[in-house]
């Protein structure tokens, strides 16, 4: 069985990547199952730089093909913030609730027409030294005035998708995983992986 490591500890994200990639006979390992227990310093300036940093760190240690993503929310009224700092917007180790509370506080009094935001995801597959596949996905929406919905993670309760008139957290996971930034990035990455067959896949065997 071919094995690929998902370079993340975010359970919500891992579940989504598993569902979106649906690679059939490939076993997708999380970091602990792959024996990788270190913390990775995400000091890139862009989502793509951070995705590459994560995948490279894990590939170098584990020696198996690795998929990684870096993602976040870019809010127009905040000049694109929090962007690559989305996970630690309210400080190191911040909870989703603290990040969401800070975002609402900063947008207090900002009308709906000026609350535009995007979820962005950069995804990579590293399958050998210097051998990479890359893809990006983005979805546009706006920031709600108050959280709504229980599904998903992170900023999902605040992110309204105009085509549904609902927050990401109000959508069933299967719907989020068909339309999200991560769905677009990993959908494309999966397509590239299948296209690359056989050059990529034989390397997955260990
Ligand atoms: P990462 O693990 O460094 O990519 O951090 C991503 C952070 O961006 C998460 O902790 C969330 O705060 C936010 N984020 C990324 N993708 C999503 C999503 O699909 N829904 C909600 N928040 C997200």
């Amino acid at each position: 069985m071919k094995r690929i490591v998902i370079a993340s500890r975010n359970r919500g994200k891992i579940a989504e990547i598993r569902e979106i990639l649906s690679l059939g006979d490939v076993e997708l390992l999380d970091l602990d199952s792959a024996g990788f227990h270190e913390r990775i310093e995400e000091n890139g300036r862009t989502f793509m730089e951070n995705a590459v940093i994560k995948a490279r760190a894990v590939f170098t240690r584990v020696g198996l093909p690795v998929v990684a993503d870096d993602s976040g929310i870019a809010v127009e009224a905040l000049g694109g913030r929090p962007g690559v700092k989305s996970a630690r917007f309210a400080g190191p180790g911040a909870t989703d609730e603290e990040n969401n509370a800070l975002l609402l506080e900063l947008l207090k009094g900002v009308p709906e027409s000026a609350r535009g935001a995007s979820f962005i995801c950069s995804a990579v597959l590293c399958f050998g030294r210097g051998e990479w596949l890359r893809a990006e996905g983005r979805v546009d929406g706006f920031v709600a005035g108050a959280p709504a919905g229980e599904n998903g993670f992170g900023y999902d309760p605040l992110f309204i998708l105009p085509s549904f008139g609902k927050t990401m957290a109000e959508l069933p996971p299967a719907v989020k995983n068909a339309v999200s930034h991560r769905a677009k990035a990993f959908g494309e990455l999966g397509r590239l992986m299948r296209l690359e067959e056989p050059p990529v896949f034989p390397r997955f065997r260990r």
Side-chain angles (χ1 to χ4, degrees):
M1 166 90 93
K2 299 159 195 161
R3 294 188 294 167
I4 303 180
V5 182
I6 303 177
S8 177
R9 293 203 165 84
N10 178 326
R11 285 161 172 268
K13 204 192 250 194
I14 292 172
E16 290 183 12
I17 293 172
R18 282 184 195 283
E19 180 170 335
I20 297 162
L21 272 180
S22 62
L23 286 173
D25 63 339
V26 176
E27 187 186 359
L28 289 168
L29 304 174
D30 62 25
L31 285 177
D32 287 332
S33 317
F36 185 95
H37 307 291
E38 290 109 272
R39 234 186 64 80
I40 303 170
E41 185 79 36
E42 294 173 30
N43 50 12
R45 281 160 305 154
T46 63
F47 293 112
M48 188 54 85
E49 274 181 26
N50 277 336
V52 167
I53 287 169
K54 291 181 215 180
R56 181 177 288 136
V58 177
F59 178 81
T60 305
R61 267 272 285 101
V62 177
L64 285 172
V66 180
V67 287
D69 87 341
D70 196 57
S71 51
I73 188 169
V75 179
E76 276 170 42
L78 302 179
R81 283 196 307 147
V84 291
K85 300 211 167 106
S86 293
R88 51 188 191 278
F89 191 29
T95 63
D96 289 342
E97 289 71 27
E98 288 165 345
N99 287 332
N100 285 344
L102 176 60
L103 182 54
L104 282 181
E105 178 64 27
L106 292 174
L107 293 183
K108 217 176 206 169
V110 176
E112 196 176 290
S113 59
R115 295 172 79 97
S118 306
F119 270 142
I120 300 166
C121 175
S122 292
V124 298
L125 166 74
C126 172
F127 55 96
R129 286 193 193 288
E131 294 177 291
W132 297 86
L133 297 177
R134 301 168 192 236
E136 287 185 295
R138 173 192 170 125
V139 61
D140 297 323
F142 54 94
V143 180
E150 304 291 328
N151 297 327
F153 66 95
Y155 298 90
D156 280 341
L158 288 184
F159 189 86
I160 297 183
L161 273 171
S163 40
F164 292 90
K166 288 182 174 173
T167 69
M168 280 279 206
E170 291 178 296
L171 296 176
V175 176
K176 176 181 177 186
N177 289 337
V179 300
S180 76
H181 51 317
R182 191 161 296 101
K184 291 178 182 169
F186 278 94
E188 172 66 3
L189 198 69
R191 195 184 69 79
L192 293 174
M193 286 159 81
R194 282 181 276 267
L195 266 187
E196 285 289 308
E197 218 170 340
V200 172
F201 275 88
R203 293 169 203 270
F204 290 166
R205 295 199 194 97
R206 272 204 111 199

